[in-house]
């Protein structure tokens, strides 16, 4: 089939130019290669397409009929090439972005909102989930992750921001229960456990001035796999919770939550935009990455 399609394109070019040599110049191949393509096509079809003479070429009846089909095939291929180039070079078509619900609402949508409004030829699909998404299976263009897939040769990771973890609680909770002045005081308190984290009840704290490290295992009776739920539970005084600072920024700014042990630091993370490893990225992906990087750089 592929050879037939190639032969049809060569045949259409020969008829268009009226000669094998003119077609060869257009296609960048030899005249003998053009002649071979036409012979192979005729043998495959079982008909003669061209009358050949030393002075000119002319179409047979079968050739004239076949030429119309060949022109349609070449035209369709050219239209397909144009559409592919448009998707590569223009901000159009589909853009699929995978993120978590928290990052999507608090950061990614604010980062991209103006840009999306300015490019209404883009169809944008947000997949907001806390589970790992296979970028190939789900046809994801950009995934927002807290760690890069450094061992995966299929992807490229683009750092967006350093993200601090914070241990927070509501002011009402802190007034009702024992004071928290040192890491060891945490053992008398309840941690709202977020199951998405590795070892969710184990806290590794570093004293800012001395760099002294302390590991504390807290107790939990409330568990969730959702940051929004964990944040609401903390605001309602059900315990302490460990959050990414960017996820808790609104509550910290409003005073609904306050940082516990501010002189101690939890491990930080890096927020990445992850893309599939391609020789050339479509413009819509490149531009979207630029917008995200600019937003997070300004917010740093």
């Amino acid at each position: 089939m592929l050879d037939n399609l190639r032969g049809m394109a060569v045949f259409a070019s020969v008829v268009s130019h009226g000669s094998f040599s003119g077609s060869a110049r257009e296609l960048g191949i030899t005249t003998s290669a053009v002649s071979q393509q036409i012979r192979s096509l005729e043998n495959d079809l079982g008909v003669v397409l061209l009358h050949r003479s030393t002075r000119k070429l002319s179409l047979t009846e079968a050739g004239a009929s076949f030429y119309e089909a060949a022109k349609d095939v070449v035209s369709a291929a050219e239209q397909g090439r144009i559409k592919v180039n448009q998707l590569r070079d223009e901000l159009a078509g589909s853009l699929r972005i995978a993120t978590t619900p928290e990052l999507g609402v608090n950061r990614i949508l604010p980062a991209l909102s103006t840009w999306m409004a300015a490019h209404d030829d883009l169809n944008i699909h947000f997949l907001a989930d806390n589970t790992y998404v296979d970028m190939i299976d789900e046809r994801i263009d950009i995934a927002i992750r807290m760690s890069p897939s450094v061992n995966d040769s299929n992807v490229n990771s683009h750092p967006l921001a350093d993200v601090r973890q914070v241990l927070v609680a509501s002011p009402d909770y802190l007034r009702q229960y024992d004071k928290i002045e040192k890491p060891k005081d945490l053992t008398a308190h309840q941690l709202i456990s977020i199951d998405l984290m590795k070892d969710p009840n184990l806290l590794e704290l570093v004293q800012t001035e001395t760099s002294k490290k302390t590991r504390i295992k807290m107790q939990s009776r409330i568990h969730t796999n959702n940051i929004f739920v964990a944040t609401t539970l903390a605001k309602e005084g059900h315990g302490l919770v460990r959050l990414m600072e960017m996820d808790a920024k609104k509550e910290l700014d409003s005073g609904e939550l306050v940082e516990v042990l501010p002189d101690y630091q939890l491990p930080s993370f890096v927020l990445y935009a992850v893309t599939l490893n391609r020789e050339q990225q479509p413009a819509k992906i490149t531009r979207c990455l630029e917008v995200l990087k600019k937003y997070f750089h300004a917010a740093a």
Side-chain angles (χ1 to χ4, degrees):
M1 176 60 73
L2 183 61
D3 287 340
N4 281 350
L5 293 175
R6 185 182 296 110
M8 291 176 76
V10 173
F11 172 67
S13 175
V14 168
V15 176
S16 165
H17 286 85
S19 69
F20 284 11
S21 59
S23 174
R25 284 192 297 272
E26 178 195 41
L27 299 174
I29 58 178
T30 64
T31 301
S32 62
V34 171
S35 179
Q36 179 59 43
Q37 286 285 343
I38 299 301
R39 280 198 301 271
S40 295
L41 185 61
E42 289 177 329
N43 289 338
D44 187 67
L45 295 173
V47 296
V48 175
L49 299 173
L50 292 167
H51 291 304
R52 302 162 175 81
S53 72
T54 56
R55 300 176 60 182
K56 67 176 183 177
L57 297 174
S58 60
L59 289 166
T60 65
E61 182 180 2
S65 176
F66 190 69
Y67 177 55
E68 296 303 317
K71 281 197 304 182
D72 290 342
V73 167
V74 172
S75 176
E78 179 61 19
Q79 289 301 313
R81 186 186 67 81
I82 291 171
K83 288 180 179 179
V84 167
N85 287 341
Q86 287 175 337
L87 290 174
R88 184 194 66 203
D89 300 330
E90 297 180 8
L91 300 184
S94 175
L95 183 65
R96 293 170 65 83
I97 301 172
T99 183
T100 66
E102 301 76 28
L103 276 171
V105 171
N106 295 329
R107 288 291 179 266
I108 306 307
L109 293 182
L112 297 180
S113 182
T114 300
W115 182 73
M116 289 189 298
H119 301 289
D120 53 12
D121 286 336
L122 272 176
N123 297 316
I124 301 178
H125 188 167
F126 288 100
L127 283 82
D129 202 337
N130 283 314
T131 58
Y132 178 87
V133 176
D134 187 300
M135 295 186 66
I136 295 176
D137 287 349
E138 297 291 340
R139 298 181 293 110
I140 299 300
D141 296 302
I142 301 174
I144 311 299
R145 296 176 178 169
M146 276 297 176
S147 60
S149 300
V150 292
N151 296 321
D152 189 346
S153 60
N154 292 320
V155 301
N156 289 324
S157 297
H158 312 268
L160 298 176
D162 292 322
V163 182
R164 218 169 55 94
Q165 286 190 94
V166 289
L167 188 63
V168 298
S170 72
D172 286 344
Y173 175 90
L174 294 174
R175 280 193 291 266
Q176 291 179 41
Y177 295 93
D178 295 343
K179 287 185 178 181
I180 305 173
E181 297 176 340
K182 295 181 180 179
K184 67 178 182 180
D185 297 333
L186 294 172
T187 57
H189 292 264
Q190 289 286 329
L191 180 72
I192 299 165
S193 180
I194 301 175
D195 297 335
L196 302 169
M197 298 178 177
K198 183 179 180 181
D199 296 327
N201 289 29
L202 180 63
L203 305 184
E204 297 184 357
L205 297 151
V206 178
Q207 216 283 335
T208 305
E209 291 185 2
T210 65
S211 298
K212 180 182 177 181
K213 296 181 181 179
T214 304
R215 290 163 64 92
I216 298 292
K217 188 80 169 182
M218 292 188 66
Q219 54 187 331
S220 292
R221 68 180 187 86
I222 300 177
H223 303 257
T224 180
N225 67 346
N226 187 279
I227 303 296
F228 287 138
V229 172
T231 303
T232 301
L233 286 166
K235 288 193 295 184
E236 293 182 356
H238 292 285
L240 286 72
V241 67
R242 174 172 46 162
L243 298 172
M244 300 299 168
E245 187 177 31
M246 62 171 54
D247 290 335
K249 188 176 187 306
K250 183 176 69 173
E251 287 77 15
L252 289 169
D253 288 346
S254 69
E256 292 176 283
L257 294 174
V258 296
E259 187 174 356
V260 176
L261 295 175
D263 294 333
Y264 291 80
Q265 298 294 318
L266 290 163
S268 295
F269 289 84
V270 177
L271 183 68
Y272 289 87
V274 181
T275 58
L276 289 175
N277 190 4
R278 298 185 176 104
E279 188 171 326
Q280 184 175 8
Q281 292 285 7
K284 59 191 174 187
I285 295 178
T286 302
R287 292 297 302 278
C288 186
L289 288 174
E290 290 173 356
V291 173
L292 288 171
K293 290 176 181 178
K294 184 176 180 181
Y295 173 85
F296 283 102
H297 178 75

